Amino acid sequence: MARTYGDTVLRLEARALDALADSLSSSFDDACAVLMGTKGRVIVSGMGKSGHVARKIAATLASTGTPAHFVHPAEASHGDLGMITVDDVCLLLSNSGETRELHDLVAYTRRFAIPLIGISKNADSTLLRQSDVALVLPDAPEACAIGMAPTTSTTLSLALGDALAVAVMRLRGFGRDAFHTFHPGGKLGAQFLTVAELMHTGDGLPRVTETAGMPEVLLQMTGKGFGVAPVTDAGRLTGIITDGDLRRNLEGLMTRRACDVATRTPRSIAPGALVSEAVRRMNEAKVHALCVVDEGDMLVGLIRLHDCLRAGVV
């Protein structure tokens, strides 16, 4: 029985979202143009459940290149209107369009000619009549059992906020590098780490020349704790020695040179590549480290699977 109720809610809201997509008009273009043109911040506000949605829209805008913050409408009437400047844009949400707590915000935008974008299902509401850009939600029934609790309406407002944020994000050309700047922490940030940020370099990097003897090779492999030794010729990567190479050459090992034991054409990666790409390559090759080389195949670092996992890249 519970599953039936859940299915009903999801399908009802899905139909409402289809209706919202079909109803997008030039007003959506106008709203994006206003958001793109603001010199200040986007002030997002709403009361009750609309307020919760407004907070999320503000957070999404801010994280995708459009400075924004939430202002509580009741607090706005008691001094927080001072947070809003003439360079800002207001985005106000109200399902009915008649939310009393928004009146002072609406009046403030009209008094100081601050652009106002309104979102409501009531095209003839006070909010939308006063707005510079009116975004009308489909008049879809709420999904709750009594048809009153904000459910479908908040889903529509949230989705429309996402549509605005993503559209403006794409119009700005906001890409992966900029996204990483705003998301340095957690799993999102980890997905944008580059190899250069985690690789080992300098004196901590094990390396031997083609003519190095095995005592030196073993010292590099064990002394620096990597268990591998990249082989170079005038700085250019030419091979790598792993514990597997040592086992395959046990007979007369200590009389050999690095060039006699190394595996040629070792797997490598560029310093500008994403760490997630390095993890993929290591998993596919079943190795625990990759040499890092520049465009001239010069060895510049070494990255280990352990370092990637510790940084949160999986």
Side-chain angles (χ1 to χ4, degrees), residues 153-268:
S153 59
T154 50
T155 297
L156 291 173
S157 296
L158 184 61
L160 186 55
D162 285 343
L164 288 168
V166 173
V168 171
M169 175 186 182
R170 298 190 66 170
L171 290 170
R172 290 189 193 281
F174 187 90
R176 296 173 70 93
D177 290 343
F179 191 81
H180 184 205
T181 300
F182 294 150
H183 298 79
K187 289 188 176 181
L188 279 178
Q191 299 309 310
F192 291 96
L193 284 173
T194 63
V195 169
E197 295 175 82
L198 292 186
M199 69 182 186
H200 297 268
T201 61
D203 293 339
L205 176 64
R207 70 171 81 199
V208 295
T209 64
E210 288 272 336
T211 58
M214 291 312 298
E216 182 183 349
V217 171
L218 292 174
L219 182 61
Q220 288 289 317
M221 291 178 67
T222 59
K224 295 188 177 178
F226 290 89
V228 299
V231 181
T232 61
D233 181 8
R236 182 173 288 105
L237 180 68
T238 58
I240 193 169
I241 300 175
T242 68
D243 57 353
D245 296 312
L246 299 180
R247 289 194 299 270
R248 285 188 289 272
N249 292 275
L250 280 176
E251 186 175 349
L253 177 64
M254 298 309 293
T255 64
R256 297 172 183 265
R257 296 177 302 167
C259 60
D260 301 323
V261 177
T263 296
R264 298 301 177 180
T265 61
R267 294 174 178 84
S268 63

